[in-house]
Amino acid sequence: MIKVSIVGATGYAGVELLRLLCGHGGVEIKHLVSKSFAGQRLSEIYSNFSGKYDFVLSDLDIDEIVRDSDVVFTALPHGASQEVITKLYEKGVKIIDFSGDFRYDDPEVYEKWYEVPHTNPELLKKAVYGLCELHRDKIKNADLVGNPGCYTTCSILASAPLLKNGLIDEDSIIIDAKSGVSGAGRSTNLSNSFCERTENMKAYKIATHRHTSEIEQELSKFASKDIMVSFTPHLIPLKRGILATVYANLKKDVTDEDIYNIYKEFYKNEYFVRVYEPGQLPETNHVAGSNFIDIGFKVDKRLKRVVITAVIDNIVKGAAGQALQNMNIMFGLEETTGLDKPGFYL
Amino acid sequence: MIKVSIVGATGYAGVELLRLLCGHGGVEIKHLVSKSFAGQRLSEIYSNFSGKYDFVLSDLDIDEIVRDSDVVFTALPHGASQEVITKLYEKGVKIIDFSGDFRYDDPEVYEKWYEVPHTNPELLKKAVYGLCELHRDKIKNADLVGNPGCYTTCSILASAPLLKNGLIDEDSIIIDAKSGVSGAGRSTNLSNSFCERTENMKAYKIATHRHTSEIEQELSKFASKDIMVSFTPHLIPLKRGILATVYANLKKDVTDEDIYNIYKEFYKNEYFVRVYEPGQLPETNHVAGSNFIDIGFKVDKRLKRVVITAVIDNIVKGAAGQALQNMNIMFGLEETTGLDKPGFYL
Amino acid sequence: MIKVSIVGATGYAGVELLRLLCGHGGVEIKHLVSKSFAGQRLSEIYSNFSGKYDFVLSDLDIDEIVRDSDVVFTALPHGASQEVITKLYEKGVKIIDFSGDFRYDDPEVYEKWYEVPHTNPELLKKAVYGLCELHRDKIKNADLVGNPGCYTTCSILASAPLLKNGLIDEDSIIIDAKSGVSGAGRSTNLSNSFCERTENMKAYKIATHRHTSEIEQELSKFASKDIMVSFTPHLIPLKRGILATVYANLKKDVTDEDIYNIYKEFYKNEYFVRVYEPGQLPETNHVAGSNFIDIGFKVDKRLKRVVITAVIDNIVKGAAGQALQNMNIMFGLEETTGLDKPGFYL
Amino acid sequence: MIKVSIVGATGYAGVELLRLLCGHGGVEIKHLVSKSFAGQRLSEIYSNFSGKYDFVLSDLDIDEIVRDSDVVFTALPHGASQEVITKLYEKGVKIIDFSGDFRYDDPEVYEKWYEVPHTNPELLKKAVYGLCELHRDKIKNADLVGNPGCYTTCSILASAPLLKNGLIDEDSIIIDAKSGVSGAGRSTNLSNSFCERTENMKAYKIATHRHTSEIEQELSKFASKDIMVSFTPHLIPLKRGILATVYANLKKDVTDEDIYNIYKEFYKNEYFVRVYEPGQLPETNHVAGSNFIDIGFKVDKRLKRVVITAVIDNIVKGAAGQALQNMNIMFGLEETTGLDKPGFYL
């Protein structure tokens, strides 16, 4: 049994991770740290955990956590995350981090987009970017994994095969992404109150959203140069789900069938990536509650452009599910353990 | 491994059952019968099943089903259900039925409320009413279980302890029930289209809903006489969830603490019933996606009345989950197998 | 032109009143007071007002308001409302108040349910309860109107004809009310955030909600004695709309046709009350965005009980619309001015 | 008073037009034609019209309609619309058509995208494309107006100033559009049922949606050549609202301030177009229930690309509201009559 602790257990990502861990079978929950609710039972905040799977929440005690845990998931705001992780790492425990703090190859990129200094660039060097389908080999031996962002996971997996196969103009990528509201976390922000958000939608942070930099870092690895992408996030009145619509100009004459074959080949060993046949397009309820990413596409011959649409559950494949997938890889378990089931649909 | 088939597999209850069966561990899916989609893959209708858990849908072949199955779940409209079940039963297979056809002690009650003749009253006598918490002993040895309705499961479990303990005027029970839209099944009914149903609510079938008769049949067993209840269903703009608010006049002076103790005692061995402490009230997202029923209450001293509120997921504890719970009981498995995990919350 | 000011203009009730005033034709907006946003343009908070109907928000200046206004609408929290209204009233201006502070015949009832002292019981005596259909004559000459609560408006109008005609056991009234989330105001409360509220429902404040006392005060006037009612509010995932389901035991043998005639007669002169024919039941989207209350019913002969269902838009007939209706009455205008149009449906 | 009839009155666009006409003040409703509901009262289908604004629905009687009406709104499926309009036109009455049948300059474009022959190309030549802000002068004297599509209105008004001012690469326009479900009409389509649509989103008809051709026709008029655009529609779980996100490559170095000035200048006389200051972005609830289009934008200097976001209410500015605006223009009324009020917000 892998001994697991979560720091920041009562946010949406933390509690979803816990839900998934309850169905994993190979883990033992040790400490659930919640600054806001230390001393309370989890079921007082999330009544769905009432009963057999209830836990007591605790304060942050680094020594105790390190002593009792094989792996710690940290789900803290960026900045705060660096501090805690530095301490955990020094004492020797594997860490999977949900924040943006350990996702970057270059601390300068982090500092530019997050507008704060990185306090531990040495540790950043040792961290592995946890996009499982693309960095599996490094994750296997990692001690610290920067779990990818939700928009980024969806956008990168949707786009990588196009770049890898040299199909598109590398400067033409536009990603129009739509997210459910849980992506904003468990927040009392007025603009995310029910009456302001239901029956409403908007774009936000155009050209400035932090996930842009993460997407660019990873996609550049499939390109012949450092590339930049247009990224526009939108807020949509649903809870779970991201839909990314990716546009790119084709350099070659390809058919839907060609694209299909290229994606099938690229993801041929990937359980969690489902490529749709030409004519089919994914919807977010196909993946809600699951760790899958579903990908469809359409070649627009008139414009010599390809459009990819990809969907994930933002708090599963976009957060807690991928974190668990990372844990499975790091500990040599079957990668799909606790994650292989179909989603909710309803 | 228990060999399982489902007849009517592509309705919401059927497909939810399948989702739960995928996480059960002790079953093998044999036949998934769908009149509308025979020959297609399940994933063509429900893309969430794409991949490892995909299945091919088939036509109804009674002989083949009986030969290959230990248990058959039938999720057909009432009337149609009787026909198929009569044939299945004769050939010797255990059956769990989602329709109203085998829920009644008395065929006349069925005929009055369903306004069709019962074509197999002999078989009806052998059927067991599958409200697990109340009829566990009979279910153990049953060959045919009539799986309870969604409103009824919630209403009966919410009310039974009051009657059992002689606390209330038996003629004073009023049940005001609110349901999500999935209770209406996978339907193209205009009034259940998105634009007609979102941002809208209504009462319907006041004093005439069929589930009234099922509630009365079961609650009468806890009363000193045959009782009748007011039952009003409402349609609410959400997918999963029933909230039943039960009103009854108290015959005795009791406190919230008394009610709490009575419910805790009544359900002391029940994993799936969670009784809330005084001052706490359940919400449907506490149980969404799970087989739990959560029950809260409030004594109104001014009026000498008690108000109970209970919530379930209508397609889990109100349909597919309870059906699986019944299967576990019938086959001597741990009753919570495949059903013990916390729900979605989000 | 009637000169109008609003104190507390940027809450949901205030801004809805403003929306309705824009279509009234006989008013001139003078001051819009908003403590939080004084100095800003309304459109900075509510972009729908951008353009011709934009206004500048101001601080509270009692003298200026009184000098410039014929009538002031106050939409402040209870307690705060008393203070401001005392000052406004002394200087001589007509007032329509949205809070609970001036709705009661007896300050003790207020103090018991609101758990704060009433600081101006003398003024309370002069206030008129602004349920237009029932107190029109007094409202005509009122200087201070306590605009009714949302649940109360719906519950009282749904129930009054039963009591007036001596049809029901006066101790048997149970009101099960369901409200959209805008009833909670523009709030940053976590439990009203989108992710906590969508796909969720709950009962709350059972037997203790303040509107209970208002309902009892008014319904007692139609009974032979002071009556008490069970009142249970529920929160439902939609924005606009209240549905009240009223249960009462019949003292006489009546038919649906009888009830229909009694309600038609009771409301024969009421533009805003629409009584449904037997067999029809109202839905909240029939009244959304309008000042109507739609009422349906069903006699349950088996149980000798009647069930009434009534729907309103909680921020129109339950707040801003009725306030405007009160203004029309107080100033001798046609009562339906600015309010007679059909609602949104969609 | 302008005498008005509607053919196809009980679809969502027809009934929204009727709602707007009730507040117009200068019209008299003559005939409301509904094939499905002829002989019934409108309130039987849309209870919000119960009372003073109720009407009786009738069968199609061309002669009667022409005799009694100054203008006829036709809200029929394409193809069916041509037939009826040909007859109406011959008898001499002004017509505003909601279908795609009379929106095209060239019948071949219609035939290519709608995949049916145009049966009256002569009449098509006389029709005027009713995008009011762009074709006001022609509309003034038109006898037949092809009222624009919902996606098209939003996309064209969002993009035209960029092309007009030669700011962008004319081959680089990508429009990612998101629509509420009412855009699909009042339909019993399973995929638009509540349970399939809520908590779900998808792209559909990528590169093949008919509105693409309408957008291209109009935008080409502002370009130096016939242009093509990428257009991707998405279905979002809300009722009213379209959000179009437009991407284009800049040919010049411009700032947000430059774009703001260009849009303000372009729309300086347009009541219904609200251009947002740099840093502000529109949301669909800013325009819900109103005839406004709100436009925001962001220059992405890194990529030398501009992103425009525009929102409308798809059944008001995208259908019924613009139709009424067209009527006002055709009859020499103040263009904003019945349309100038702020939207719902809530």
Side-chain angles (χ1 to χ4, degrees):
Chain A
M1 299 297 267
I2 300 166
K3 289 172 284 172
V4 171
S5 293
I6 307 176
V7 179
T10 54
Y12 287 152
V15 85
E16 180 73 1
L17 175 61
L18 206 48
R19 185 181 76 83
L20 295 171
L21 288 171
C22 290
H24 184 276
V27 297
E28 192 183 343
I29 309 293
K30 302 303 288 185
H31 298 281
L32 299 182
V33 176
S34 168
K35 204 173 153 187
S36 317
F37 302 107
Q40 296 188 48
R41 301 186 73 78
L42 178 62
S43 63
E44 294 178 62
I45 299 106
Y46 291 98
S47 295
N48 56 323
F49 281 92
S50 179
K52 178 176 159 189
Y53 292 94
D54 204 355
F55 300 94
V56 175
L57 301 164
S58 60
D59 256 325
L60 180 63
D61 181 329
I62 298 278
D63 288 329
E64 205 173 61
I65 289 172
V66 172
R67 189 191 63 212
D68 297 343
S69 313
D70 298 316
V71 62
V72 181
F73 294 90
T74 47
L76 298 171
H78 73 270
S81 208
Q82 292 177 42
E83 265 191 67
V84 169
I85 287 171
T86 297
K87 293 178 196 162
L88 288 167
Y89 187 86
E90 282 166 5
K91 309 231 171 184
V93 69
K94 286 183 184 285
I95 302 158
I96 299 169
D97 180 37
F98 287 67
S99 86
D101 285 359
F102 292 97
R103 295 178 187 160
Y104 288 88
D105 298 337
D106 179 350
E108 282 184 32
V109 175
Y110 173 85
E111 292 177 348
K112 181 180 159 205
W113 287 84
Y114 282 72
E115 295 173 315
V116 289
H118 200 291
T119 59
N120 200 338
E122 286 309 304
L123 186 52
L124 180 56
K125 273 186 210 160
K126 296 173 188 156
V128 172
Y129 187 67
L131 218 171
C132 308
E133 281 73 13
L134 303 182
H135 298 289
R136 187 174 286 118
D137 286 342
K138 284 190 185 165
I139 295 164
K140 276 178 190 164
N141 303 306
D143 289 319
L144 168 55
V145 164
N147 201 54
C150 50
Y151 282 127
T152 53
T153 295
C154 194
S155 301
I156 294 165
L157 293 177
S159 311
L162 296 176
L163 287 163
K164 173 77 184 318
N165 288 276
L167 293 179
I168 57 169
D169 172 355
E170 299 174 334
D171 295 323
S172 72
I173 300 172
I174 288 172
I175 302 169
D176 189 283
K178 299 93 182 161
S179 177
V181 184
S182 65
R186 197 173 202 224
S187 107
T188 57
N189 195 312
L190 176 62
S191 85
N192 287 338
S193 71
F194 181 83
C195 289
E196 302 284 321
R197 197 46 46 215
T198 193
E199 272 287 305
N200 194 15
M201 54 181 164
K202 66 170 178 184
Y204 66 103
K205 292 190 186 167
I206 302 177
T208 60
H209 193 284
R210 287 161 178 164
H211 285 181
T212 312
S213 56
E214 221 179 302
I215 297 168
E216 291 177 347
Q217 167 181 291
E218 293 303 308
L219 289 186
S220 291
K221 296 170 185 169
F222 294 97
S224 59
K225 58 172 182 180
D226 278 0
I227 64 169
M228 291 190 296
V229 303
S230 279
F231 177 73
T232 308
H234 297 77
L235 205 47
I236 301 295
L238 45 80
K239 282 188 294 189
R240 291 172 180 259
I242 282 178
L243 167 59
T245 310
V246 182
Y247 300 85
N249 296 337
L250 288 163
K251 289 194 300 192
K252 304 181 181 170
D253 269 326
V254 291
T255 64
D256 282 339
E257 208 57 43
D258 296 332
I259 301 284
Y260 179 67
N261 291 331
I262 284 164
Y263 273 72
K264 286 297 276 188
E265 173 63 22
F266 191 94
Y267 291 121
K268 67 184 167 193
N269 297 318
E270 299 303 335
Y271 182 83
F272 295 116
V273 184
R274 298 188 294 203
V275 179
Y276 280 43
E277 292 184 13
Q280 303 301 316
L281 292 172
E283 313 190 19
T284 55
N285 74 350
H286 299 174
V287 296
S290 83
N291 200 49
F292 291 97
I293 173 168
D294 285 10
I295 304 178
F297 51 84
K298 174 75 182 170
V299 171
D300 187 344
K301 283 177 182 298
R302 291 196 320 139
L303 290 146
K304 219 178 157 186
R305 206 169 270 156
V306 64
V307 184
I308 311 289
T309 67
V311 296
I312 61 167
D313 182 324
N314 56 299
I315 51 171
V316 185
K317 183 61 179 169
Q322 185 152 252
L324 187 52
Q325 188 181 355
N326 274 309
M327 186 200 83
N328 289 339
I329 297 172
M330 291 161 83
F331 286 84
L333 304 182
E334 179 64 41
E335 188 169 329
T336 60
T337 309
L339 292 168
D340 67 339
K341 299 301 179 302
F344 312 153
Y345 193 85
L346 280 182
Chain B
M1 298 297 266
I2 300 167
K3 290 172 285 176
V4 171
S5 294
I6 307 176
V7 179
T10 55
Y12 286 151
V15 85
E16 180 74 1
L17 175 60
L18 206 49
R19 185 181 75 83
L20 295 172
L21 288 169
C22 290
H24 184 276
V27 297
E28 191 183 344
I29 308 294
K30 301 304 288 187
H31 299 281
L32 299 182
V33 176
S34 167
K35 205 173 151 186
S36 316
F37 302 107
Q40 295 188 48
R41 303 186 72 79
L42 178 61
S43 63
E44 294 179 61
I45 299 106
Y46 292 98
S47 296
N48 55 322
F49 282 92
S50 181
K52 177 177 162 187
Y53 292 94
D54 205 355
F55 300 93
V56 175
L57 301 164
S58 61
D59 256 324
L60 179 64
D61 181 328
I62 298 278
D63 288 329
E64 206 173 58
I65 289 172
V66 172
R67 190 191 63 214
D68 297 344
S69 314
D70 297 316
V71 62
V72 181
F73 294 89
T74 48
L76 298 171
H78 72 270
S81 208
Q82 293 177 41
E83 265 189 68
V84 169
I85 286 171
T86 296
K87 292 177 196 161
L88 288 168
Y89 187 86
E90 281 165 6
K91 308 233 171 182
V93 68
K94 286 181 185 286
I95 303 157
I96 298 169
D97 180 37
F98 286 68
S99 86
D101 286 0
F102 293 97
R103 293 178 188 160
Y104 288 88
D105 299 336
D106 179 350
E108 282 184 32
V109 175
Y110 173 84
E111 292 178 348
K112 182 182 159 201
W113 287 84
Y114 282 72
E115 294 174 316
V116 290
H118 201 290
T119 59
N120 199 339
E122 286 310 304
L123 187 51
L124 179 56
K125 273 187 210 159
K126 295 172 188 154
V128 171
Y129 187 67
L131 217 171
C132 308
E133 281 74 13
L134 304 182
H135 297 289
R136 186 173 286 119
D137 286 342
K138 285 190 185 164
I139 294 164
K140 278 178 189 163
N141 304 304
D143 290 318
L144 169 55
V145 163
N147 201 54
C150 50
Y151 282 127
T152 53
T153 294
C154 194
S155 301
I156 293 165
L157 293 177
S159 311
L162 296 176
L163 286 163
K164 174 77 186 317
N165 288 276
L167 294 179
I168 57 169
D169 173 355
E170 299 174 335
D171 294 325
S172 72
I173 300 172
I174 288 173
I175 303 169
D176 189 284
K178 299 93 182 162
S179 176
V181 184
S182 66
R186 198 172 200 227
S187 109
T188 57
N189 196 314
L190 176 62
S191 83
N192 287 339
S193 71
F194 181 83
C195 290
E196 302 284 322
R197 197 46 47 215
T198 193
E199 272 287 305
N200 195 14
M201 53 182 163
K202 67 171 176 182
Y204 67 103
K205 292 190 186 168
I206 302 178
T208 60
H209 194 282
R210 287 162 178 162
H211 286 182
T212 312
S213 56
E214 222 179 302
I215 297 168
E216 291 176 349
Q217 166 182 294
E218 293 303 308
L219 289 186
S220 292
K221 294 170 186 169
F222 293 96
S224 60
K225 58 173 181 179
D226 278 0
I227 64 168
M228 291 190 295
V229 302
S230 279
F231 177 74
T232 306
H234 298 76
L235 206 48
I236 302 295
L238 45 81
K239 283 189 293 188
R240 291 171 181 258
I242 283 178
L243 167 58
T245 311
V246 183
Y247 301 86
N249 296 336
L250 288 163
K251 289 194 299 192
K252 304 181 182 171
D253 269 327
V254 290
T255 64
D256 281 341
E257 207 57 44
D258 296 332
I259 300 284
Y260 179 67
N261 291 331
I262 284 165
Y263 272 72
K264 285 297 275 187
E265 172 64 23
F266 191 93
Y267 290 121
K268 67 184 167 193
N269 298 317
E270 300 302 334
Y271 181 83
F272 295 116
V273 184
R274 298 189 293 202
V275 179
Y276 280 43
E277 292 183 15
Q280 302 301 316
L281 292 172
E283 312 191 20
T284 56
N285 75 350
H286 299 175
V287 296
S290 82
N291 201 48
F292 291 97
I293 174 167
D294 284 11
I295 305 178
F297 51 84
K298 174 74 181 171
V299 171
D300 188 344
K301 284 177 183 295
R302 291 197 321 139
L303 289 145
K304 217 178 160 185
R305 206 169 269 157
V306 64
V307 185
I308 311 289
T309 68
V311 296
I312 61 168
D313 182 324
N314 55 298
I315 52 171
V316 184
K317 182 61 179 169
Q322 183 151 252
L324 187 51
Q325 190 182 354
N326 273 308
M327 187 201 81
N328 288 340
I329 297 172
M330 291 161 83
F331 286 84
L333 305 181
E334 180 65 40
E335 190 170 329
T336 59
T337 309
L339 291 168
D340 67 340
K341 299 300 180 301
F344 312 152
Y345 193 86
L346 281 180
Chain C
M1 300 297 265
I2 300 166
K3 290 172 286 174
V4 171
S5 294
I6 306 177
V7 179
T10 54
Y12 286 152
V15 85
E16 180 73 2
L17 175 61
L18 206 49
R19 185 182 75 84
L20 295 172
L21 288 169
C22 290
H24 184 275
V27 297
E28 193 183 343
I29 309 294
K30 302 303 289 186
H31 298 282
L32 298 183
V33 176
S34 168
K35 204 172 154 186
S36 318
F37 302 107
Q40 295 188 49
R41 303 186 71 79
L42 178 62
S43 62
E44 294 179 62
I45 300 106
Y46 292 99
S47 295
N48 55 322
F49 281 91
S50 180
K52 178 177 160 188
Y53 292 94
D54 204 355
F55 299 93
V56 175
L57 300 164
S58 60
D59 257 324
L60 179 64
D61 181 329
I62 298 278
D63 288 329
E64 204 172 62
I65 288 171
V66 172
R67 189 191 65 213
D68 296 345
S69 314
D70 297 316
V71 62
V72 181
F73 294 89
T74 47
L76 299 172
H78 73 269
S81 208
Q82 293 177 42
E83 266 191 65
V84 170
I85 286 171
T86 296
K87 292 177 195 162
L88 288 167
Y89 187 86
E90 281 166 5
K91 308 233 171 182
V93 67
K94 286 182 185 286
I95 302 157
I96 299 170
D97 180 38
F98 286 68
S99 86
D101 285 359
F102 293 98
R103 293 178 187 161
Y104 288 88
D105 298 337
D106 179 350
E108 283 183 31
V109 175
Y110 173 85
E111 293 177 348
K112 180 181 159 203
W113 288 83
Y114 282 72
E115 295 174 313
V116 289
H118 201 291
T119 59
N120 199 338
E122 284 310 304
L123 186 52
L124 180 56
K125 272 186 210 160
K126 294 174 189 155
V128 171
Y129 187 67
L131 217 170
C132 308
E133 282 73 13
L134 304 182
H135 297 289
R136 187 173 286 119
D137 286 342
K138 285 191 183 163
I139 295 164
K140 276 179 189 163
N141 303 305
D143 290 318
L144 169 56
V145 164
N147 201 54
C150 50
Y151 282 127
T152 54
T153 295
C154 194
S155 301
I156 294 165
L157 293 177
S159 312
L162 296 176
L163 287 163
K164 174 75 185 318
N165 288 275
L167 293 179
I168 57 169
D169 172 355
E170 299 174 335
D171 294 324
S172 72
I173 300 172
I174 288 172
I175 302 170
D176 189 282
K178 298 94 182 162
S179 176
V181 184
S182 66
R186 197 172 201 227
S187 108
T188 56
N189 196 312
L190 176 63
S191 84
N192 288 338
S193 71
F194 181 83
C195 289
E196 302 284 322
R197 198 45 47 215
T198 192
E199 273 287 306
N200 195 14
M201 53 181 165
K202 67 170 176 183
Y204 66 102
K205 291 189 187 168
I206 302 178
T208 59
H209 193 283
R210 286 161 179 164
H211 285 181
T212 312
S213 57
E214 221 179 303
I215 297 168
E216 290 177 348
Q217 167 181 292
E218 292 304 307
L219 288 185
S220 291
K221 294 170 185 170
F222 292 96
S224 61
K225 58 171 181 181
D226 278 2
I227 64 170
M228 293 190 294
V229 302
S230 280
F231 177 73
T232 307
H234 298 77
L235 205 48
I236 302 294
L238 46 80
K239 283 188 294 188
R240 291 171 180 259
I242 283 178
L243 168 57
T245 310
V246 182
Y247 301 86
N249 295 337
L250 287 164
K251 289 193 301 193
K252 304 180 182 172
D253 269 326
V254 290
T255 64
D256 281 340
E257 208 56 45
D258 296 332
I259 300 284
Y260 179 67
N261 291 330
I262 283 164
Y263 273 73
K264 285 298 276 188
E265 173 63 23
F266 191 94
Y267 290 121
K268 68 184 168 193
N269 297 318
E270 299 303 335
Y271 182 83
F272 294 115
V273 184
R274 299 188 293 203
V275 179
Y276 280 43
E277 292 184 15
Q280 303 301 317
L281 292 172
E283 312 191 21
T284 55
N285 75 349
H286 299 176
V287 297
S290 83
N291 201 48
F292 291 97
I293 173 169
D294 284 11
I295 305 178
F297 50 84
K298 174 74 181 172
V299 171
D300 188 344
K301 282 177 184 297
R302 291 196 320 140
L303 289 145
K304 219 179 156 184
R305 206 168 270 155
V306 64
V307 185
I308 310 290
T309 68
V311 296
I312 62 169
D313 182 325
N314 56 298
I315 52 171
V316 184
K317 183 61 180 169
Q322 185 152 251
L324 187 52
Q325 189 181 353
N326 273 309
M327 187 200 82
N328 287 339
I329 296 172
M330 290 162 83
F331 287 83
L333 305 181
E334 180 64 41
E335 188 169 327
T336 60
T337 308
L339 291 169
D340 68 338
K341 298 302 180 298
F344 312 153
Y345 193 86
L346 280 181
Chain D
M1 299 296 266
I2 299 166
K3 288 172 287 175
V4 170
S5 293
I6 307 175
V7 179
T10 54
Y12 287 152
V15 84
E16 180 74 1
L17 175 61
L18 205 49
R19 184 180 78 83
L20 295 171
L21 289 170
C22 291
H24 183 277
V27 296
E28 191 183 343
I29 308 294
K30 302 304 289 186
H31 299 282
L32 298 182
V33 176
S34 168
K35 205 172 152 186
S36 317
F37 302 108
Q40 296 188 47
R41 303 185 72 79
L42 178 62
S43 62
E44 294 179 61
I45 299 107
Y46 292 98
S47 295
N48 55 322
F49 281 92
S50 180
K52 178 176 161 187
Y53 292 94
D54 204 355
F55 300 93
V56 175
L57 301 164
S58 60
D59 256 326
L60 179 64
D61 181 328
I62 298 279
D63 288 328
E64 208 173 59
I65 289 172
V66 172
R67 190 191 63 214
D68 296 344
S69 314
D70 297 316
V71 63
V72 181
F73 294 89
T74 48
L76 298 171
H78 73 271
S81 208
Q82 294 177 40
E83 265 191 67
V84 169
I85 286 171
T86 297
K87 292 177 195 163
L88 287 167
Y89 187 86
E90 280 166 5
K91 307 233 171 183
V93 68
K94 286 181 185 286
I95 303 158
I96 299 169
D97 181 37
F98 286 68
S99 87
D101 285 359
F102 293 97
R103 294 177 187 160
Y104 288 88
D105 298 338
D106 179 349
E108 281 184 33
V109 175
Y110 172 85
E111 292 177 348
K112 182 181 159 203
W113 288 83
Y114 282 73
E115 295 174 316
V116 290
H118 200 292
T119 59
N120 199 339
E122 286 309 303
L123 186 51
L124 180 55
K125 273 188 210 158
K126 296 172 187 155
V128 171
Y129 187 67
L131 217 171
C132 308
E133 281 73 14
L134 304 181
H135 297 288
R136 186 173 286 118
D137 286 342
K138 284 190 184 164
I139 294 164
K140 276 179 190 162
N141 304 304
D143 289 319
L144 170 56
V145 164
N147 201 55
C150 49
Y151 283 126
T152 53
T153 296
C154 193
S155 302
I156 295 165
L157 293 176
S159 311
L162 297 176
L163 286 163
K164 174 77 184 320
N165 288 277
L167 294 178
I168 58 169
D169 172 354
E170 297 173 337
D171 295 324
S172 72
I173 299 173
I174 288 172
I175 303 170
D176 189 283
K178 298 94 182 161
S179 176
V181 184
S182 66
R186 197 174 202 226
S187 107
T188 57
N189 196 313
L190 176 62
S191 84
N192 288 337
S193 71
F194 181 83
C195 290
E196 302 284 321
R197 199 44 48 215
T198 193
E199 271 288 304
N200 195 15
M201 54 182 164
K202 67 170 177 184
Y204 67 102
K205 292 188 186 169
I206 302 178
T208 60
H209 194 283
R210 287 162 178 163
H211 285 181
T212 312
S213 57
E214 222 180 302
I215 297 167
E216 291 177 349
Q217 166 182 292
E218 294 302 309
L219 288 186
S220 291
K221 295 170 184 168
F222 293 97
S224 60
K225 58 173 182 179
D226 279 359
I227 64 168
M228 291 190 295
V229 303
S230 279
F231 176 74
T232 306
H234 298 76
L235 206 47
I236 301 295
L238 45 79
K239 282 189 294 188
R240 292 172 179 258
I242 283 177
L243 166 59
T245 311
V246 183
Y247 301 86
N249 296 336
L250 288 163
K251 290 194 299 192
K252 304 181 182 173
D253 270 326
V254 290
T255 64
D256 282 339
E257 206 58 43
D258 295 332
I259 300 284
Y260 179 67
N261 291 331
I262 283 165
Y263 273 73
K264 285 298 275 187
E265 173 63 21
F266 191 93
Y267 290 121
K268 68 184 168 196
N269 298 318
E270 299 304 334
Y271 181 83
F272 295 116
V273 183
R274 299 189 292 204
V275 179
Y276 281 43
E277 292 184 14
Q280 302 301 316
L281 292 172
E283 312 191 20
T284 55
N285 75 350
H286 299 175
V287 296
S290 83
N291 200 49
F292 291 96
I293 174 169
D294 284 11
I295 305 177
F297 50 85
K298 175 73 182 172
V299 172
D300 187 345
K301 283 177 184 294
R302 290 196 320 140
L303 289 145
K304 216 177 160 186
R305 206 168 270 155
V306 65
V307 185
I308 310 289
T309 69
V311 296
I312 62 168
D313 181 325
N314 56 298
I315 52 171
V316 184
K317 183 60 179 170
Q322 184 151 252
L324 187 53
Q325 189 182 355
N326 273 308
M327 187 200 82
N328 288 339
I329 297 172
M330 291 161 84
F331 287 84
L333 304 181
E334 179 65 41
E335 190 170 326
T336 60
T337 309
L339 291 168
D340 67 340
K341 300 300 179 301
F344 311 152
Y345 193 85
L346 280 182

